[in-house]
Structure formats: C-alpha cells, structure tokens
Amino acid sequence: MGKLAGGLKRIGQLDRRTVFVIMAVAVALPFLTPFRFVAKPGEETLRFDGALEKAMAAPKPIMVSVDFGPQTMAEMEPILLAFMHKLFRERKKVIFLTFMPETTALMHRYLADMERRYDLKYGEDYVFLGYATPYFMVIYAMGTSIEEYYHADDRGISIHDIPLMKDVKKLNDVSAVISIASNSMAQFWIAWGVAPFGIELLMACTATQATDYFPYLQTGQVKGLIAGGKAGAEYEALLVEQGYMATTGDATRGLGSQSLALIAIIVLIVAGNVSFLAGLGSGRRNRP
Amino acid sequence: MKSKIGYRLPFVVMSVLGVFFVAQYYIPHPSVQKPSMIMQQWKQPLGVFILFIAAIGIIVLHVRRIRRKQRGWGYSVVTLVSMAAMVFVGMVFGVGEGTVFTDWFEYLITPIEATMFSLLAFFVASAAYRAFKARTVNAALLLISAFIVMLGMIPAVENYFPPLSDAAAFLLKYPNTAAKRAIIIGVALGAISVAIKTIVGIDRTILGRDR
C-alpha cells in the first residue's frame, strides 16, 4: 500500500523538464519513423471542397487573403499549398492579397514555387496585390472599388496594367474569397465583406480558432472551413484521391506529431489527476 | 469660453462623425459614400504615423534600459541592433525577392518566430499537467470534455472508435457553438450600447478623465 501511495505521489510530482522531454519525444518520434497517420476527409473538409469547386466553376477569378506569419506556418502553410495546387492545376485565375506585412515574404516563396511548377504567367494567371492597411477599411472599400486602396500590386505595377484585373473592379467580380488566417481576419471578412456585399467566403484557420467560426459556418456566412492541421491532412488526402496532389504533404506528416503530443498531454493530465484524487498530489511544489 | 469650445468641439465632431459612419453603412448613394471613402483613406497615412511613433517608443524604451543597466539590458542592445540592421538593409538594398532583407526574414525571423511559437506546446503540456485538475464538478466536466475533444482529433480514434469522434464533433458543433454565439451577440450588443452612449454624449470618458 505504501509503495502504491509513493508511486502515485511521484507521478504527480514530475519535474517540468521531464514533461518537456516526454513532449519532445512525442513530437519528434513520428518524424523519425516511417509510420504515418492516415486522415479520412471529414464532413467539414468535404463541404469546403464542394464550396471551392462551386466557386471554381464560375467564370470569375478567386481572391485569396493570406494572413499568417512564421509562428503558425506549420499549421497554415500545408492548407494554403493544398488548395493552391487545386486552383492552379485547374488553371483558375487567382488574386492574392495580405493584411500582414510578414506574409509578403512568405507569399513570394509560395508563388515562385507555384509559378515554376505550373508554368504560370504573372498578371494573367495570378496576381499578388501585396499588403494593405487598415484591413477592415480595405475590405469594405474593395466592395465598391478595389483600386481605391490597391493602386498598384506588390511589384509596383499599376492595377490598370494587369490583364487579370481588367474585369475585376470590386469584390463581387470574384467568385469567392478564401481567407486563410491565423488571426481574426476572417471575422473582418464576414463583417465587412459578407454582410454588406454578400460575397462567398471560404476560410481556413488554426485548430484553436475553429470554435470561433462554427457559428458563422452554421449560419452559412462562411461556406466552408478548414481548421487546423488535422483538417489540412484530411484535405491533402482528398486532393490525393482527386488526383490534384501526387502524395500527401506536410499536414499529414505533422499529424503524427500532433496526435502523439495530444496523447502525451492526455496521459500527463490523467497522471496529475490520479495523484490529485488519491490525495497525494502536490502540484504546488513545482511551477510550470 | 475657450474651455467650453475645447470641450464641445471634439464632442460635436465625434457625434456627427459617429452618426455619419453608421449612416454610410446603409446609404449607398455616392454623396455619402465618396466622403466616407476619403475619410477612410486618411487612416493609411495615420497608420504610418502610428508606426513611426511606435518605432520611436521602442527605441526610447530600450535606450533607457541600456542606460540604466536594467536586468536583461543586453537583450535591448540586440533588439536595437537588429531593428537598425533590418531598416538599413531594407532601405539600402530593397525589400523584394532575392534581397538581403528577404533572406534575413526567411532564414532568421521565420525560424525564430516558428521556434518561439512551437515552445508553447511544451509549456501548455506542463501547465495542463500541474493545473488541470478535477477539483470541482465543473472542472471535472471541463476535463472530460477536453479529453473527448482531444481524443476526437486523433485519426486512429476516428477510424477505430467513431462514437468518440462523433461525441467530439457534437461538443464542438452544439454546446460550444451555442456558447460562442451567445458571447458574440452579447459582445455586439455591448459594443452598440457603448457606441450609442458615446455618440449621444452619455459616455464622455473618451474626451479625457476630467470630462
């Protein structure tokens, strides 16, 4: 009995460095083994893809607002790249823009890669309008006139000299807007784009943000939502099925880490609670 | 007299513009939209000035720390040198593709920011281990919900034990969405109430403490 009590006490008193090592092993292990978790496309992912295909069928370009930085790249980048593959493989014309200055450098890299891969022509197949501020005013102004804020694109080319922008004067001249953001930008798209102008909005966000957007998804203000790494992996699996990607990408690779990290956290919480419920926990001894 | 004008003028400007910006949302006529658009464009140069003030604020703060040799002043030196270096390479060599600025962003800032954010997982795990305890019934319910949602995020659970995954989806879609919707509506009503009080002059704290 004494040994059991001692054991229970010890599992409630793990040093934080031990917790860090457990987490490090959980995160790193899936990258060191060939084993991969397989994601099955869920209801939300299929809904997003359905809405995207509907937007792609319309004879208008699609606008993509990319708003994430290096902090959330691991979660957001695979989602962005996945639907970029689908859009560009179908030769859909795309207008990119951002409301975060640090996204600009990331976008240069993604677009250069896509241009090489799909032999795209800048200004005709795609355009990057670049960074603009203040975001909610830019969104609202674009509802009546895109050139009010974007006089030139990211390369400094006048918006009047860009063939792709010839027939795109306002938000309703695009078939849909996709907001891929790790901040609250999608809420501004809902308030200043969907509500006043009735644009079709699809979005991608981090897993922790998903709960913020379910109400808008249920009301139909957001047509499709991809939230976090797991949904990203589901979307990659779907695009592989559809033939848009040869193999799954980084979201699927990261899914193993995410899953093992979640299991590690669950085990740690259970351990902490077993110790606590046995009246032996001493959570105050070690600060996180 | 002067103080009366000094008090009334900002209040009148605020009230008139408050009513105008509410109206412009509903009136699509050019006579309303054009001045609205012009005023909204003023925000861009204003934003630049704010950035300038923020940069000065950072410099002043860190210079003060270095002068006083406060704890961790070495980090202030790193901050100021990094800031100056980025401004220098950006202004001298440009910020486009293939420039030093972009390379520094790609090979320094990107991994640093990604690393900082990744560390969160370790601190979250440690904090959850120590603090996430079933001390009360509410805490126990929260704990159970968290377990279900976390397990529902694991593909293996989804594939081999679908009821748990369905339970996670139910929690996210219904109780969570209902609570979230209540918060969104509550916040919106609060914002409308504050805006009306400010426009009609009931709430004058925006004009300063002594008002």
Side-chain angles (χ1 to χ4, degrees):
Chain A
M1 191 64 191
K3 271 189 180 175
L4 179 67
L8 286 175
K9 190 176 179 180
R10 270 198 299 279
I11 61 166
Q13 292 175 344
L14 286 182
D15 186 78
R16 64 176 173 166
R17 280 161 292 195
T18 312
V19 175
F20 292 163
V21 169
I22 292 170
M23 282 300 289
V25 170
V27 170
L29 202 58
F31 287 107
L32 305 173
T33 57
F35 178 76
R36 293 278 176 270
F37 281 87
V38 181
K40 203 168 62 183
E43 190 191 326
E44 301 305 343
T45 306
L46 294 171
R47 187 174 164 180
F48 176 93
D49 192 60
L52 183 63
E53 286 195 345
K54 194 179 156 202
M56 285 169 71
K60 293 177 180 177
I62 286 179
M63 183 177 273
V64 183
S65 169
V66 187
D67 303 288
F68 65 85
Q71 307 95 325
T72 48
M73 251 172 77
E75 219 171 350
M76 309 303 290
E77 185 187 281
I79 303 173
L80 173 67
L81 294 179
F83 67 71
M84 274 169 114
H85 281 300
K86 180 157 184 164
L87 292 171
F88 287 133
R89 185 160 278 212
E90 288 291 331
R91 308 303 292 187
K92 190 72 197 167
K93 295 186 188 310
V94 192
I95 300 160
F96 294 94
L97 52 89
T98 181
F99 299 113
M100 279 175 75
E102 62 260 52
T103 310
T104 314
L106 298 176
M107 283 306 292
H108 290 153
R109 176 150 52 97
Y110 303 145
L111 292 171
D113 179 45
M114 289 290 157
E115 195 174 298
R116 272 192 300 272
R117 201 183 283 244
Y118 294 104
D119 196 21
L120 304 171
K121 200 160 180 200
Y122 185 82
E124 287 179 18
D125 297 314
Y126 79 96
V127 66
F128 179 40
L129 294 181
Y131 165 72
T133 186
Y135 38 86
F136 57 99
M137 283 304 156
V138 177
I139 295 169
Y140 190 55
M142 285 197 300
T144 45
S145 170
I146 290 175
E147 65 177 331
E148 283 288 342
Y149 272 93
Y150 282 108
H151 307 294
D153 70 353
D154 184 59
R155 299 181 180 188
I157 303 168
S158 166
I159 204 158
H160 300 290
D161 298 334
I162 301 169
L164 176 52
M165 298 303 291
K166 206 177 132 209
D167 297 321
V168 184
K169 303 293 176 200
K170 55 186 189 302
L171 280 183
N172 281 317
D173 294 334
V174 298
S175 59
V177 174
I178 306 172
S179 167
I180 172 160
S182 60
N183 52 22
S184 53
M185 202 56 66
Q187 281 187 341
F188 293 102
W189 275 107
I190 293 164
W192 297 93
V194 176
F197 305 110
I199 59 164
E200 297 279 305
L201 181 68
L202 287 88
M203 58 168 294
C205 63
T206 62
T208 48
Q209 288 177 295
T211 55
D212 291 341
Y213 294 109
F214 278 126
Y216 302 108
L217 194 65
Q218 285 186 351
T219 56
Q221 286 164 294
V222 173
K223 303 294 176 197
L225 169 70
I226 292 212
K230 181 172 171 273
E234 287 178 10
Y235 198 53
E236 284 180 352
L238 184 68
L239 294 194
V240 169
E241 253 178 59
Q242 293 174 345
Y244 289 108
M245 287 172 77
T247 54
T248 52
D250 284 344
T252 308
R253 287 183 71 211
L255 196 58
S257 286
Q258 184 184 312
S259 303
L260 272 194
L262 282 173
I263 292 168
I265 290 175
I266 291 170
V267 170
L268 285 167
I269 295 173
V270 169
N273 276 276
V274 166
S275 175
F276 170 73
L277 291 173
L280 301 167
S282 55
R284 289 182 206 115
R285 266 186 64 178
N286 297 315
R287 296 180 69 79
Chain B
M1 184 67 185
K2 194 181 169 186
S3 86
K4 263 192 176 178
I5 292 174
Y7 161 62
R8 280 185 184 161
L9 189 63
F11 170 67
V12 170
V13 170
M14 189 178 68
S15 296
V16 169
L17 288 180
V19 172
F20 174 76
F21 277 103
V22 172
Q24 62 85 36
Y25 194 85
Y26 299 100
I27 305 170
H29 196 272
S31 61
V32 177
Q33 289 302 317
K34 196 71 192 167
S36 158
M37 201 62 79
I38 290 167
M39 279 190 271
Q40 284 163 17
Q41 283 177 346
W42 292 346
K43 286 197 173 178
Q44 268 184 322
L46 276 174
V48 175
F49 279 112
I50 292 166
L51 271 178
F52 186 65
I53 291 166
I56 290 173
I58 289 175
I59 293 167
V60 169
L61 177 85
H62 288 286
V63 166
R64 198 180 296 149
R65 276 190 187 165
I66 294 165
R67 269 194 190 155
R68 292 178 185 169
K69 291 269 189 307
Q70 285 178 353
R71 197 175 165 213
W73 64 272
Y75 298 117
S76 294
V77 174
V78 173
T79 305
L80 289 178
V81 170
S82 309
M83 198 172 149
M86 284 305 273
V87 170
F88 177 77
V89 297
M91 292 185 83
V92 174
F93 304 110
V95 293
E97 237 173 304
T99 58
V100 181
F101 183 89
T102 308
D103 284 349
W104 282 10
F105 180 87
E106 180 121 358
Y107 302 115
L108 287 171
I109 296 173
T110 301
I112 287 170
E113 285 194 14
T115 306
M116 289 298 291
F117 205 72
S118 306
L119 290 176
L120 267 182
F122 294 88
F123 289 103
V124 166
S126 178
Y129 168 61
R130 288 172 210 296
F132 206 178
K133 304 268 167 69
R135 291 176 206 278
T136 61
V137 176
N138 286 350
L141 284 174
L142 188 66
L143 197 65
I144 293 164
S145 308
F147 276 169
I148 294 170
V149 172
M150 281 197 282
L151 286 167
M153 291 291 134
I154 300 167
V157 173
E158 196 176 19
N159 293 338
Y160 299 111
F161 198 60
L164 200 58
S165 179
D166 293 343
F170 173 83
L171 282 173
L172 284 172
K173 273 188 188 169
Y174 299 103
N176 159 71
T177 305
K180 206 78 204 178
R181 188 168 286 136
I183 292 168
I184 292 169
I185 293 170
V187 169
L189 290 175
I192 292 169
S193 147
V194 169
I196 291 172
K197 282 202 292 188
T198 308
I199 288 169
V200 300
I202 296 170
D203 184 351
R204 297 175 186 195
T205 48
I206 196 168
L207 298 172
R209 259 186 227 167
D210 54 334
R211 306 297 184 194

